[in-house]
Amino acid sequence: MGTEMISFPDRRKSVRNPSLDNALIRFGDMSLCCVVRDITENGAALKADDPPSSLPDQFTLIVPPSKAFSCSVVWRKDGWVGVAFATE
């Protein structure tokens, strides 16, 4: 039996851009460090220093040097959190 790669369709609305940018999750007076793993124009996958369960459902993601996104959590799994960016 040969090893075959199975490919699944990508259901994202926009192209995913792999990233390893350090960023901050800010809510209230708190700021937590995180790593942005994947980012699209609609959202991102984040690995936070704190467990995803301790993050609120809404927060601001600050990606240096000058990007800020209002985020809503859409999934939490194994130390990761997926967010959708608010549209204006």
Side-chain angles (χ1 to χ4, degrees), residues 33-75:
C33 293
C34 70
V35 174
V36 179
R37 181 63 182 109
D38 292 316
I39 191 165
T40 71
E41 64 185 38
N42 300 313
L46 311 173
K47 177 77 169 173
D49 287 348
D50 280 7
S53 60
S54 69
L55 296 176
D57 291 335
Q58 314 251 313
F59 56 81
T60 301
L61 177 67
I62 301 169
V63 182
S66 61
K67 294 180 185 174
F69 303 95
S70 294
C71 299
S72 296
V73 174
V74 291
W75 57 264

Side-chain angles (χ1 to χ4, degrees), residues 24-32 56 58-62 69:
L24 287 175
I25 294 170
R26 177 162 275 170
F27 53 95
D29 293 337
M30 299 282 299
S31 290
L32 302 172
Q58 314 251 313
F59 56 81
T60 301
L61 177 67
I62 301 169
F69 303 95

